[in-house]
Amino acid sequence: MIKSSIQKVCRWLRSPSKMAIGGVILLTIIGTIVGTNLFNVGMATTNTEQFCSDCHTNDVVPEYQASVHFSNRSGVKAICSDCHVPHEFVPKMIRKMQASTEVFAYYTGKVDTKEKFEKHRLEMAEREWARMKANGSQECRNCHNFNDMDFTQQKTVAQQMHALAQEQNKTCIDCHKGIAHNLPHMEKVQQSFIPEDMLKAPEKAADNKDAK
C-alpha cells in the first residue's frame, strides 16, 4: 500500500495537473508576499529608537537624549539607526548580523549593566569608529555632505577644519567622536587628525579678545 502511494505521488510529480501547477504558483506568490512583508517589518522594527532603548535605557540613551541629534532648534532628528545602520541593503544586512552578537552580549550578561557597559565602552566605541572610518562616515554623510556645505556660514575654525579634511581625504568620524554619546577614556586614542596649531588657534583668538 505504501509502495502504491509513493508510485502515485511520483506519477503526479512527473505529470502534475494544471490546477496543481497553478496552486503551487499561487502558494509561492503568497508565501513571497508574506515573507517579504515580515522581513520588512522586522527590519523596520529593529531600526526603531524603542528597539534600541530596550537594552540601552541606562547607558547611552540618556546621553543621546541630551544631544543635538535628539533635540535641536530645527526639529530635524537623527535616531539610532540613522547613525549606526547603513542605508544600503548589503551593508545593512552585514550590520544587522553584527548587531545580533551585540544583543547576545547583552542578554548573556556581558554589558547588561551600566558598570559593565562602561568597562567595555572604549572597545565598543573603537569598533564603531573603525566601521565608520572604513565606509567614509557614510551614515553621517547621508545628512552632512562637504559638497553641500556653505563654508561661508561656518565659523572660521570649522571652515579650516573642513577644508583640511577635504584636502587630506578625511571623514566625519576623524574629528566628530562623542557627538551623541559620552566619550570613553581617551588616553590612548587619537582624537582627531587636526594639527596642534589649528587646535590652538581658537584659544589664541579667545586670549587676544580677552586682552583687548
Side-chain angles (χ1 to χ4, degrees):
M1 182 176 179
I2 296 175
K3 184 178 180 181
S4 176
S5 298
I6 293 174
Q7 289 174 339
K8 287 181 180 179
V9 171
C10 290
R11 283 197 297 271
W12 181 83
L13 290 173
R14 283 197 295 268
S15 56
S17 66
K18 291 181 179 179
M19 183 177 292
I21 293 174
V24 170
I25 293 174
L26 180 61
L27 288 174
T28 300
I29 293 173
I30 293 173
T32 301
I33 293 172
V34 171
T36 300
N37 277 281
L38 289 174
F39 175 81
N40 289 334
V41 168
M43 289 295 100
T45 300
T46 55
N47 271 355
T48 61
E49 191 176 327
Q50 181 58 53
F51 180 85
C52 300
S53 298
D54 287 342
C55 292
H56 289 294
T57 300
N58 296 320
D59 41 68
V60 294
V61 167
E63 301 167 6
Y64 159 66
Q65 290 176 340
S67 76
V68 70
H69 277 157
F70 180 79
S71 180
N72 53 71
R73 67 179 183 277
S74 62
V76 179
K77 181 178 180 179
I79 64 172
C80 313
S81 57
D82 289 323
C83 299
H84 294 289
V85 179
H87 294 188
E88 300 74 18
F89 182 77
V90 173
K92 180 190 292 185
M93 293 301 101
I94 294 173
R95 182 70 189 100
K96 291 289 185 182
M97 288 187 283
Q98 292 171 341
S100 66
T101 64
E102 296 161 9
V103 174
F104 179 78
Y106 177 85
Y107 282 106
T108 54
K110 184 177 180 179
V111 289
D112 61 334
T113 66
K114 184 170 176 57
E115 292 72 23
K116 293 178 183 178
F117 185 91
E118 291 299 333
K119 182 179 178 181
H120 294 280
R121 185 187 281 265
L122 177 58
E123 170 195 344
M124 294 185 290
E126 288 186 314
R127 184 167 61 242
E128 186 65 359
W129 295 337
R131 182 189 70 81
M132 297 183 77
K133 176 68 174 176
N135 71 6
S137 300
Q138 181 60 56
E139 287 75 61
C140 302
R141 291 187 293 107
N142 286 329
C143 294
H144 308 282
N145 195 308
F146 281 135
N147 295 330
D148 298 326
M149 290 182 183
D150 182 356
F151 288 178
T152 64
Q153 299 295 316
Q154 299 176 356
K155 294 180 179 179
T156 302
V157 67
Q159 294 179 30
Q160 294 173 338
M161 290 178 182
H162 289 148
L164 185 63
Q166 285 184 296
E167 290 174 11
Q168 298 189 8
N169 198 30
K170 301 295 183 179
T171 68
C172 312
I173 200 62
D174 286 306
C175 286
H176 295 286
K177 296 178 175 71
I179 296 299
H181 306 304
N182 294 342
L183 287 169
H185 293 297
M186 301 284 283
E187 290 86 353
K188 298 180 181 180
V189 179
Q190 181 183 359
Q191 295 192 38
S192 74
F193 72 96
I194 306 169
E196 286 293 323
D197 58 342
M198 188 176 288
L199 284 172
K200 293 177 180 178
E203 298 176 8
K204 291 179 180 178
D207 292 340
N208 292 335
K209 185 176 180 181
D210 292 339
K212 292 179 181 179

